[in-house]
Amino acid sequence: MIRCLAIDDEPLALQQLVTYIGKIPFLELAAQCQSALEARKFLEQETVDAIFCDINMPDLNGMEFVKSLQAPPLVVFTTAYSEYAVEGFKVNAVDYLLKPFGLQDFQRAANRIKERIEPSANSQQPIANSQDDTIFVKTEYRIVKVTIADIRYIEGMSEYLKIYIEGEPKPIITLLSMKKMEEKLPEFFMRIHRSYIVNLTKIQEVNKNRIIMDADTYLPIGDNYKEAFQRYLDTKFLGK
Protein backbone atom coordinates (compact mmCIF):
# COMPACT_ATOMS: atom_id res chain seq x y z
CA MET A 1 0.00 0.00 0.00
CA ILE A 2 1.11 3.55 -0.76
CA ARG A 3 0.62 5.84 2.25
CA CYS A 4 -0.78 9.23 1.26
CA LEU A 5 -1.31 12.61 2.89
CA ALA A 6 -4.15 14.83 1.64
CA ILE A 7 -3.77 18.61 2.11
CA ASP A 8 -6.32 21.29 1.23
CA ASP A 9 -7.67 24.28 3.16
CA GLU A 10 -11.12 23.93 1.57
CA PRO A 11 -13.18 21.28 3.44
CA LEU A 12 -15.10 20.11 0.36
CA ALA A 13 -11.95 19.83 -1.75
CA LEU A 14 -10.21 17.94 1.07
CA GLN A 15 -13.14 15.56 1.35
CA GLN A 16 -12.97 14.93 -2.39
CA LEU A 17 -9.30 13.97 -2.09
CA VAL A 18 -10.08 11.64 0.81
CA THR A 19 -12.93 10.03 -1.14
CA TYR A 20 -10.82 9.52 -4.26
CA ILE A 21 -7.93 8.05 -2.27
CA GLY A 22 -10.40 5.58 -0.77
CA LYS A 23 -11.42 4.45 -4.27
CA ILE A 24 -7.88 3.54 -5.37
CA PRO A 25 -7.01 0.03 -4.14
CA PHE A 26 -3.27 0.63 -3.73
CA LEU A 27 -3.58 3.96 -1.86
CA GLU A 28 -3.90 4.27 1.91
CA LEU A 29 -4.85 7.57 3.59
CA ALA A 30 -2.35 8.30 6.36
CA ALA A 31 -3.89 11.66 7.33
CA GLN A 32 -5.79 14.68 6.05
CA CYS A 33 -4.71 18.24 6.82
CA GLN A 34 -6.32 21.65 6.25
CA SER A 35 -3.06 23.59 6.08
CA ALA A 36 0.57 23.15 5.12
CA LEU A 37 1.60 23.96 8.70
CA GLU A 38 -0.57 21.12 10.00
CA ALA A 39 0.92 18.80 7.38
CA ARG A 40 4.45 19.81 8.37
CA LYS A 41 3.77 18.87 12.00
CA PHE A 42 2.40 15.52 10.89
CA LEU A 43 5.46 14.79 8.76
CA GLU A 44 7.73 15.53 11.70
CA GLN A 45 6.28 12.42 13.36
CA GLU A 46 5.22 10.23 10.44
CA THR A 47 6.38 9.30 6.95
CA VAL A 48 4.30 8.95 3.81
CA ASP A 49 5.03 7.85 0.27
CA ALA A 50 3.05 10.60 -1.47
CA ILE A 51 1.10 13.77 -0.84
CA PHE A 52 -1.82 15.32 -2.69
CA CYS A 53 -1.41 19.01 -1.97
CA ASP A 54 -3.37 22.16 -2.83
CA ILE A 55 -1.19 25.12 -3.83
CA ASN A 56 -3.30 28.11 -2.81
CA MET A 57 -3.44 27.97 0.98
CA PRO A 58 -3.10 30.67 3.67
CA ASP A 59 0.07 31.12 5.77
CA LEU A 60 2.15 28.74 3.66
CA ASN A 61 1.21 27.74 0.12
CA GLY A 62 1.65 24.21 -1.13
CA MET A 63 4.56 25.01 -3.44
CA GLU A 64 6.64 26.63 -0.70
CA PHE A 65 5.68 23.85 1.70
CA VAL A 66 7.05 21.17 -0.63
CA LYS A 67 10.23 23.19 -1.28
CA SER A 68 10.78 23.44 2.49
CA LEU A 69 10.83 19.65 2.99
CA GLN A 70 14.30 18.14 3.21
CA ALA A 71 13.22 14.82 1.73
CA PRO A 72 9.81 15.40 0.17
CA PRO A 73 7.68 12.40 -0.79
CA LEU A 74 6.18 12.15 -4.25
CA VAL A 75 3.90 15.12 -4.88
CA VAL A 76 0.72 15.70 -6.84
CA PHE A 77 -0.37 19.33 -6.79
CA THR A 78 -4.02 20.38 -6.99
CA THR A 79 -5.16 23.91 -7.76
CA ALA A 80 -7.65 25.98 -9.70
CA TYR A 81 -4.89 28.07 -11.33
CA SER A 82 -3.15 26.64 -14.39
CA GLU A 83 -0.27 29.14 -14.25
CA TYR A 84 1.32 27.07 -11.48
CA ALA A 85 1.84 24.06 -13.75
CA VAL A 86 5.38 24.81 -14.95
CA GLU A 87 6.46 25.82 -11.45
CA GLY A 88 5.05 22.54 -10.17
CA PHE A 89 7.16 20.54 -12.60
CA LYS A 90 10.25 22.47 -11.48
CA VAL A 91 9.91 20.93 -8.03
CA ASN A 92 9.57 17.52 -9.71
CA ALA A 93 5.88 17.04 -9.08
CA VAL A 94 4.56 13.70 -10.30
CA ASP A 95 1.42 15.30 -11.67
CA TYR A 96 -0.71 18.42 -11.58
CA LEU A 97 -4.49 18.27 -11.22
CA LEU A 98 -6.42 21.32 -12.33
CA LYS A 99 -9.63 21.83 -10.35
CA PRO A 100 -12.30 20.73 -10.88
CA PHE A 101 -10.92 17.27 -11.63
CA GLY A 102 -12.67 13.91 -11.68
CA LEU A 103 -11.85 10.41 -10.54
CA GLN A 104 -10.32 9.53 -13.92
CA ASP A 105 -7.79 12.38 -13.61
CA PHE A 106 -7.06 11.37 -10.02
CA GLN A 107 -6.58 7.74 -11.09
CA ARG A 108 -4.02 8.87 -13.69
CA ALA A 109 -2.05 10.73 -11.02
CA ALA A 110 -2.25 7.77 -8.65
CA ASN A 111 -0.96 5.43 -11.37
CA ARG A 112 1.99 7.73 -11.96
CA ILE A 113 2.84 7.62 -8.26
CA LYS A 114 2.70 3.83 -8.37
CA GLU A 115 4.99 3.77 -11.41
CA ARG A 116 7.54 5.93 -9.59
CA ILE A 117 7.51 3.73 -6.50
CA GLU A 118 7.75 0.39 -8.30
CA PRO A 119 11.37 -0.01 -9.51
CA SER A 120 10.33 -1.89 -12.65
CA ALA A 121 8.22 1.06 -13.76
CA ASN A 122 10.70 3.84 -13.01
CA SER A 123 11.61 6.03 -15.95
CA GLN A 124 12.39 9.63 -16.76
CA GLN A 125 10.48 11.99 -19.02
CA PRO A 126 10.09 11.83 -21.87
CA ILE A 127 9.04 8.15 -21.69
CA ALA A 128 9.98 6.26 -24.82
CA ASN A 129 7.89 3.33 -25.99
CA SER A 130 9.74 1.09 -28.42
CA GLN A 131 6.60 -0.79 -29.44
CA ASP A 132 4.59 2.12 -30.79
CA ASP A 133 7.37 4.69 -31.27
CA THR A 134 5.85 7.36 -29.06
CA ILE A 135 7.00 9.56 -26.22
CA PHE A 136 5.09 11.26 -23.41
CA VAL A 137 5.94 14.82 -22.43
CA LYS A 138 4.68 17.18 -19.75
CA THR A 139 3.05 20.37 -20.99
CA GLU A 140 1.17 22.75 -18.71
CA TYR A 141 -0.90 20.52 -16.44
CA ARG A 142 -1.10 17.59 -18.88
CA ILE A 143 1.02 14.69 -20.04
CA VAL A 144 0.60 14.28 -23.78
CA LYS A 145 1.46 11.45 -26.14
CA VAL A 146 3.54 12.35 -29.18
CA THR A 147 4.20 10.11 -32.16
CA ILE A 148 7.92 10.48 -32.82
CA ALA A 149 7.60 10.28 -36.61
CA ASP A 150 5.22 13.27 -36.54
CA ILE A 151 7.79 15.58 -34.94
CA ARG A 152 9.07 18.05 -37.53
CA TYR A 153 11.71 19.77 -35.43
CA ILE A 154 12.51 20.81 -31.88
CA GLU A 155 13.60 24.24 -30.73
CA GLY A 156 15.52 24.75 -27.49
CA MET A 157 14.74 27.80 -25.36
CA SER A 158 16.85 27.87 -22.20
CA GLU A 159 15.22 25.27 -19.90
CA TYR A 160 12.31 24.65 -22.24
CA LEU A 161 11.72 22.93 -25.57
CA LYS A 162 9.23 23.69 -28.32
CA ILE A 163 8.20 20.52 -30.14
CA TYR A 164 6.71 21.21 -33.56
CA ILE A 165 4.31 18.50 -34.71
CA GLU A 166 3.12 17.77 -38.26
CA GLY A 167 -0.36 19.21 -38.78
CA GLU A 168 -0.47 21.06 -35.43
CA PRO A 169 -0.68 24.88 -35.50
CA LYS A 170 1.13 25.39 -32.18
CA PRO A 171 4.18 23.65 -30.72
CA ILE A 172 4.15 21.66 -27.50
CA ILE A 173 6.15 23.49 -24.82
CA THR A 174 7.82 21.31 -22.19
CA LEU A 175 10.37 21.74 -19.42
CA LEU A 176 13.25 19.58 -20.68
CA SER A 177 16.83 19.86 -21.91
CA MET A 178 17.96 19.33 -25.48
CA LYS A 179 20.37 16.64 -24.29
CA LYS A 180 17.62 14.60 -22.63
CA MET A 181 15.48 14.85 -25.75
CA GLU A 182 18.37 13.85 -28.03
CA GLU A 183 18.90 10.70 -25.96
CA LYS A 184 15.29 9.59 -26.54
CA LEU A 185 15.06 10.25 -30.27
CA PRO A 186 15.88 7.69 -33.00
CA GLU A 187 18.61 8.02 -35.61
CA PHE A 188 16.53 9.93 -38.16
CA PHE A 189 16.76 13.00 -35.92
CA MET A 190 19.86 15.19 -35.90
CA ARG A 191 21.10 18.15 -33.92
CA ILE A 192 21.93 20.86 -36.48
CA HIS A 193 22.36 23.80 -34.12
CA ARG A 194 22.61 24.31 -30.37
CA SER A 195 18.96 25.35 -30.50
CA TYR A 196 17.53 22.93 -33.10
CA ILE A 197 16.98 19.22 -33.63
CA VAL A 198 15.37 18.24 -36.94
CA ASN A 199 13.55 15.21 -38.26
CA LEU A 200 15.71 14.43 -41.28
CA THR A 201 12.76 12.91 -43.12
CA LYS A 202 10.89 16.24 -42.98
CA ILE A 203 13.58 18.36 -44.66
CA GLN A 204 12.44 19.87 -47.97
CA GLU A 205 15.58 21.68 -49.04
CA VAL A 206 19.09 22.61 -47.96
CA ASN A 207 20.22 26.08 -49.02
CA LYS A 208 23.76 27.05 -48.02
CA ASN A 209 23.76 27.11 -44.23
CA ARG A 210 20.02 26.75 -43.81
CA ILE A 211 17.58 23.89 -43.72
CA ILE A 212 14.18 24.62 -45.24
CA MET A 213 11.33 22.72 -43.60
CA ASP A 214 8.56 24.53 -45.48
CA ALA A 215 7.84 27.91 -47.08
CA ASP A 216 7.84 29.65 -43.70
CA THR A 217 10.43 27.70 -41.72
CA TYR A 218 14.18 28.16 -42.21
CA LEU A 219 16.53 26.65 -39.63
CA PRO A 220 20.23 27.59 -39.35
CA ILE A 221 23.00 25.00 -39.37
CA GLY A 222 25.47 25.81 -36.60
CA ASP A 223 29.20 25.80 -37.25
CA ASN A 224 29.77 22.95 -34.80
CA TYR A 225 27.21 20.75 -36.58
CA LYS A 226 28.05 21.40 -40.25
CA GLU A 227 30.49 18.51 -40.64
CA ALA A 228 28.12 15.88 -39.22
CA PHE A 229 25.23 17.18 -41.31
CA GLN A 230 27.37 17.20 -44.46
CA ARG A 231 28.29 13.55 -43.85
CA TYR A 232 24.59 12.75 -43.67
CA LEU A 233 23.98 14.61 -46.95
CA ASP A 234 26.81 12.72 -48.63
CA THR A 235 25.12 9.41 -47.85
CA LYS A 236 21.90 10.62 -49.52
CA PHE A 237 23.25 12.74 -52.37
CA LEU A 238 22.80 11.57 -55.96
CA GLY A 239 24.84 13.33 -58.58
CA LYS A 240 28.28 14.80 -59.15
Side-chain angles (χ1 to χ4, degrees):
M1 296 291 284
I2 298 172
R3 281 170 51 83
C4 300
L5 178 62
I7 312 168
D8 202 305
D9 64 308
E10 299 177 4
L12 291 178
L14 182 59
Q15 185 55 50
Q16 182 190 47
L17 283 175
V18 171
T19 299
Y20 284 172
I21 288 171
K23 291 180 180 293
I24 308 300
F26 54 83
L27 296 185
E28 175 188 354
L29 180 66
Q32 51 182 297
C33 301
Q34 286 192 272
S35 72
L37 297 178
E38 183 184 349
R40 179 184 283 171
K41 289 181 181 179
F42 175 82
L43 291 176
E44 288 174 356
Q45 305 296 325
E46 301 281 346
T47 60
V48 297
D49 302 303
I51 60 176
F52 292 88
C53 184
D54 185 31
I55 293 179
N56 289 82
M57 294 186 290
D59 298 324
L60 180 65
N61 73 42
M63 197 77 66
E64 294 304 320
F65 163 65
V66 171
K67 289 179 180 178
S68 73
L69 298 176
Q70 289 187 344
L74 298 177
V75 179
V76 173
F77 283 118
T78 67
T79 185
Y81 302 96
S82 62
E83 62 266 25
Y84 286 110
V86 171
E87 188 67 23
F89 292 136
K90 284 184 178 180
V91 297
N92 201 30
V94 173
D95 210 339
Y96 178 99
L97 296 174
L98 185 66
K99 297 178 180 178
F101 55 87
L103 180 58
Q104 185 176 359
D105 295 321
F106 187 87
Q107 175 78 65
R108 179 200 69 207
N111 288 341
R112 297 204 70 227
I113 289 173
K114 187 178 181 183
E115 289 170 2
R116 291 283 189 96
I117 289 175
E118 294 178 355
S120 61
N122 282 347
S123 60
Q124 294 187 5
Q125 297 294 333
I127 305 168
N129 186 321
S130 59
Q131 291 184 341
D132 62 0
D133 297 322
T134 61
I135 56 174
F136 288 85
V137 295
K138 296 175 179 177
T139 179
E140 296 179 339
Y141 59 91
R142 302 172 296 136
I143 298 174
V144 298
K145 180 180 179 180
V146 177
T147 300
I148 292 175
D150 290 341
I151 299 174
R152 298 177 63 238
Y153 66 97
I154 298 160
E155 180 181 4
M157 300 177 61
S158 185
E159 298 177 331
Y160 298 87
L161 298 181
K162 286 185 176 182
I163 304 173
Y164 292 83
I165 308 296
E166 193 77 47
E168 296 293 332
K170 294 183 179 180
I172 295 171
I173 300 176
T174 186
L175 181 64
L176 196 70
S177 70
M178 291 284 275
K179 186 176 186 298
K180 284 274 183 72
M181 179 59 81
E182 273 190 287
E183 292 171 354
K184 294 296 183 181
L185 293 174
E187 61 183 11
F188 58 87
F189 283 83
M190 180 178 285
R191 185 89 170 258
I192 60 158
H193 188 275
R194 64 184 180 86
S195 298
Y196 293 102
I197 298 171
V198 298
N199 182 337
L200 296 170
T201 69
K202 304 292 185 182
I203 296 174
Q204 291 190 1
E205 186 178 332
V206 179
N207 189 334
K208 296 182 180 179
N209 293 325
R210 297 186 304 175
I211 288 174
I212 300 174
M213 305 298 291
D214 55 47
D216 301 314
T217 307
Y218 297 75
L219 305 181
I221 303 171
D223 290 340
N224 293 334
Y225 304 90
K226 287 179 181 177
E227 185 176 344
F229 184 70
Q230 185 60 52
R231 285 199 299 269
Y232 164 75
L233 282 183
D234 290 343
T235 66
K236 299 292 183 180
F237 187 71
L238 297 179
K240 296 181 180 180

